[in-house]
Amino acid sequence: MITIDPNSAVPPFEQVRGGLAQQINDHTLAVGTKLPTVRQLATDLGLAANTVARAYRELEEAGLVETRGRAGTFVGAAGDRTMERARKAADTYADAMHKLGLDTATALSIAEAALTARG
């Protein structure tokens, strides 16, 4: 499901979060797919359970997964709206950069630096 690179500068929880988010957004993981338990995925990846739990929490906060108590964690329907939310965020960012009087190249380099810092 996901491969963790122990030599990466990207923290393991972010590798898990990013890997699952990518699979959700490209529909490799369909809406309603049940994810492994935190403990099972942690064991499979050789990570601490808290690392995977943090990734799941962040995915839930982003609306990509939903936890249904003892039933487990599932890919949420909000994942289908991720691109729409990303476009809206980009529009908000573009408006802010325009109001600040920054040109496109500068605004893009700021956004790229912020994205790169997050892995």
Side-chain angles (χ1 to χ4, degrees):
M1 182 182 272
I2 300 169
T3 303
I4 301 299
D5 179 0
N7 298 318
S8 175
V10 178
F13 85 88
E14 181 60 25
Q15 291 182 53
V16 173
R17 189 210 59 76
L20 288 172
Q22 181 177 356
Q23 291 178 37
I24 291 166
N25 289 323
D26 69 14
H27 303 289
T28 301
L29 290 173
V31 171
T33 300
K34 184 175 181 178
L35 299 180
T37 65
V38 167
R39 190 170 300 191
Q40 182 61 56
L41 187 56
T43 299
D44 292 349
L45 298 174
L47 298 172
N50 286 339
T51 300
V52 174
R54 180 173 177 187
Y56 275 25
R57 274 193 310 276
E58 292 195 9
L59 289 166
E60 189 164 24
E61 288 170 8
L64 295 175
V65 302
E66 53 190 53
T67 301
R68 300 179 191 161
R70 290 181 173 237
T73 302
F74 297 82
V75 174
D80 288 342
R81 296 186 297 272
T82 297
M83 292 307 289
E84 177 185 340
R85 291 194 325 256
R87 279 190 285 280
K88 286 181 182 179
D91 285 342
T92 300
Y93 179 75
D95 287 344
M97 295 302 101
H98 178 73
K99 288 176 184 173
L100 291 170
L102 297 176
D103 61 49
T104 300
T106 302
L108 288 174
S109 68
I110 292 168
E112 184 177 17
L115 289 167
T116 300
R118 285 169 178 73

